Amino acid sequence: MFRWLALLMALLLTGCVGGTYKIPQEEYRQRVRTLGVLPIMVDEDSAFNHPQRSRVIDLLHRHNDQKQEPLVELLRGTRGYFDVRSISADPRRLFSEVVTGSQVAGEEASLVRRYRFSTAGVSRIAEANVVDALLVVVLNGVERREKRRDRTLISYLDADYNAVLATAAVISAAGEVLWEYTGDQAGVFLHLQYPDFDEAYYNKAEAVRIKDVSVNGLDRSLGETGRGVFARSSLGRPYRELFDALVAALKPGVLTPLQSRLPGGGKSPSAGQ
């Protein structure tokens, strides 16, 4: 038991859980001292196959509103950065300015969507906000094959399901992707469909139908905070779990006192370069 706990702690400390560094971690720590966090965006052209597609997209935008603020506070609490700054902007406009395209990678339950970013757009936003890099989080729809079990964990249905994943990246002011996170590393952000095992059971049917979660059900899932002593905050469970994964992966190490005593009244030496 102790060995497994030690392994888990080692993974968390190296940032291997939930994200991938594209450069050595020490180099990341030196280059990204001031991190800008963009509003959470939605890839509206991705695979949202829900019958009430536009309502689902609007629902995600509504729940995303101002969610970068608690993420900023959590990242500041790691003491891994000189500063973490929230950047305010319209997420729809930001998406068209920052994202230039995407591609699907992997297969079946590991299928994810990766994004390409505009060097010019990222540079403009980074320089305007005096940050070394931007944290971009995009919610996107995918359809991928998964094995879903019923509540007894005995029966299962292996089929194609529509779901919402989260993709994130830290991009330098020069447009270089320094770190990347994809949904296959932390599971589904929001399930849009479910297998109705109960219907099949009570109707004595051999086939299990896949149904769409109602918009009201999705709304409640996004806002679900937990109960009693387990309600850690007012942050909805999908966001809390996503942010926990991002913060654990984006903790490059505590800045030393020498690193934190930077000149310029809050501006890091490399900001805007």
Side-chain angles (χ1 to χ4, degrees):
M1 174 64 74
F2 177 81
R3 187 167 64 180
W4 281 110
L5 287 173
L7 176 60
L8 178 59
M9 288 302 298
L11 287 171
L12 288 171
L13 290 172
T14 56
C16 294
V17 174
T20 302
Y21 283 93
K22 302 297 185 180
I23 60 175
Q25 223 169 325
E26 179 60 31
E27 181 182 347
Y28 178 93
R29 183 163 43 242
Q30 294 300 320
R31 291 177 60 181
V32 186
R33 298 190 177 183
T34 302
L35 179 66
V37 180
L38 295 181
I40 299 175
M41 298 179 284
V42 179
D43 182 356
E44 299 185 11
D45 292 329
S46 59
F48 291 102
N49 301 329
H50 196 279
Q52 294 182 288
R53 186 178 192 278
S54 61
R55 289 189 62 193
V56 171
I57 291 172
D58 288 343
L59 181 71
L60 288 170
H61 278 297
R62 177 165 63 82
H63 277 275
N64 287 347
D65 187 42
Q66 300 301 313
K67 286 298 192 301
Q68 79 270 23
E69 301 295 343
L71 178 55
V72 165
E73 291 304 316
L74 289 169
L75 287 167
R76 283 175 177 165
T78 68
R79 297 179 61 198
Y81 301 88
F82 170 71
D83 193 13
V84 182
R85 299 175 183 174
S86 176
I87 296 176
S88 299
D90 175 65
R92 283 185 164 100
R93 180 184 61 77
L94 267 180
F95 185 85
S96 61
E97 184 176 0
V98 170
V99 177
T100 60
S102 70
Q103 64 180 20
V104 172
E107 58 185 15
E108 297 192 345
S110 296
L111 185 146
V112 296
R113 192 179 303 276
R114 288 193 167 95
Y115 289 90
R116 298 184 299 275
F117 303 98
S118 165
T119 299
V122 169
S123 296
R124 186 198 67 78
I125 296 169
E127 290 173 5
N129 291 275
V130 197
V131 297
D132 300 314
L134 300 177
L135 172 58
V136 179
V137 181
V138 181
L139 299 184
N140 57 92
V142 298
E143 187 164 312
R144 63 184 191 176
R145 196 163 192 85
E146 297 180 16
K147 182 182 290 184
R148 301 269 190 90
R149 295 190 177 274
D150 66 1
R151 284 175 289 180
T152 68
L153 302 180
I154 298 173
S155 300
Y156 68 88
L157 180 65
D158 194 349
D160 293 331
Y161 299 94
N162 194 204
V164 180
L165 301 183
T167 299
V170 172
I171 314 162
S172 73
E176 179 186 358
V177 176
L178 307 178
W179 173 89
E180 185 183 35
Y181 167 99
T182 54
D184 63 324
Q185 297 158 317
V188 171
F189 177 79
L190 183 68
H191 292 287
L192 299 180
Q193 293 180 315
Y194 66 97
D196 197 341
F197 290 104
D198 287 341
E199 179 194 51
Y201 174 80
Y202 285 108
N203 288 320
K204 309 303 179 185
E206 293 185 4
V208 177
R209 291 202 300 171
I210 297 176
K211 294 185 176 181
D212 298 296
V213 182
S214 70
V215 174
N216 287 337
L218 296 173
D219 190 9
R220 288 190 287 269
S221 293
L222 288 169
E224 180 185 23
T225 59
R227 298 176 181 176
V229 295
F230 298 104
R232 282 171 35 194
S233 71
S234 60
L235 198 61
R237 180 187 55 79
Y239 293 97
R240 187 175 68 243
E241 292 179 354
L242 172 62
F243 292 175
D244 283 348
L246 294 179
V247 170
L250 274 173
K251 187 176 180 180
V254 178
L255 288 177
T256 65
L258 179 61
Q259 288 175 307
S260 61
R261 289 199 299 268
L262 298 175
K267 177 179 175 181
S268 70
S270 55
Q273 293 181 358

